[in-house]
Amino acid sequence: MRLLLIRQHCWPDPPENMHCPSMIDYDVVIIGGGPAGLAAAVTLGRARRDVLVVDAGVPRNAPATPVHSYLGHEGIDPRELLAIGRSEAERYGGTLRSGTVVRVERVTESGLRVTLSDGTTAGARRVLVATGVVDELPDIPGLADRWGRDVLHCAYCHGWEARDRTIGLIAGGVASLHQAQLWRQWSDEVILFTNEAVELTTDQRAELAAPDRRGARPGHRHRDHRRRAQRHPGR
């Protein structure tokens, strides 16, 4: 007679349940199902790892129109890109689950317990955090409603669509001076609103007024508006 021994690591799960990660065990639980998390799920799936992806369904680029500068998917809708990524992750055995992770705790030497906001748990050997970042927008009426369309944050993502148009840059600190210079690659009409976040020195003003790498000088509207912004930094 042969004896088959199945080893299970179980731990109490209040109030009286027993949770056995070997029953719903994953090699990796990925927190966040955006492009980074889904790419990791595909890679791990192809490595024959059992993967669970937990995603809250609120991607950072949800307000945006097409995705740009993504090789092979130029101009794709962000939702379509995620749908493709989910399909690819599932093709290699990945499990996708809607929800939010509220706790990760070590329960054995080699086991972690991941708790979701609905109270369910999953056992894993590793946890990969791919939650991305959250944009903190200025408290300006109407700005959030246009975020990702007319209100932009990345010159390389949206510069082509905004080329040769008048661009207003709301300063958030000294780094905004670099942003102002960067946007001049796409437009000669760049207006820097200091917004009480930065005080321009004489050298910085001269640098902003100098020709850009293309030899173009800021237009009169650029200089006039910039001076008004400096006189009224709160506007």
Side-chain angles (χ1 to χ4, degrees), residues 81-208:
L81 180 64
L82 290 179
I84 293 173
R86 295 186 188 108
S87 176
E88 292 178 351
E90 290 179 324
R91 183 191 311 168
Y92 294 106
T95 301
L96 308 181
R97 189 166 171 185
S98 297
T100 303
V101 174
V102 295
R103 180 183 300 171
V104 177
E105 53 190 328
R106 181 168 295 282
V107 290
T108 68
E109 183 178 344
S110 59
L112 300 168
R113 177 167 57 184
V114 178
T115 304
L116 277 65
S117 56
D118 63 2
T120 59
T121 60
R125 291 193 292 171
R126 297 287 187 272
V127 170
L128 175 61
V129 179
T131 52
V133 298
V134 175
D135 295 302
E136 296 181 355
L137 304 181
D139 186 17
I140 299 176
L143 186 145
D145 295 336
R146 306 305 305 170
W147 181 244
R149 296 186 294 277
D150 303 321
V151 180
L152 313 171
H153 75 290
C154 173
Y156 288 104
C157 298
H158 306 285
W160 177 260
E161 285 66 37
R163 67 191 185 281
D164 299 328
R165 298 169 61 184
T166 300
I167 297 171
L169 181 68
I170 302 174
V174 177
S176 298
L177 300 177
H178 170 72
Q179 288 285 329
Q181 294 286 21
L182 183 64
W183 274 101
R184 289 175 61 188
Q185 181 68 28
W186 287 271
S187 174
D188 295 335
E189 297 287 339
V190 178
I191 307 165
L192 175 62
F193 296 97
T194 56
N195 201 37
E196 298 184 341
V198 61
E199 186 68 31
L200 297 179
T201 66
T202 301
D203 289 343
Q204 288 169 337
R205 293 171 189 256
E207 184 179 352
L208 290 171

Side-chain angles (χ1 to χ4, degrees), residues 69-90:
S69 301
Y70 198 158
L71 187 62
H73 294 289
E74 171 61 30
I76 192 174
D77 185 283
R79 292 164 294 188
E80 183 181 356
L81 180 64
L82 290 179
I84 293 173
R86 295 186 188 108
S87 176
E88 292 178 351
E90 290 179 324

Side-chain angles (χ1 to χ4, degrees), residues 21-58:
S22 58
M23 297 174 61
I24 54 170
D25 203 17
Y26 298 95
D27 292 307
V28 182
V29 170
I30 300 174
I31 306 175
L38 292 172
V42 170
T43 301
L44 289 167
R46 287 175 53 82
R48 307 188 72 176
R49 300 295 185 181
D50 293 324
V51 178
L52 170 66
V53 179
V54 181
D55 184 61
V58 286

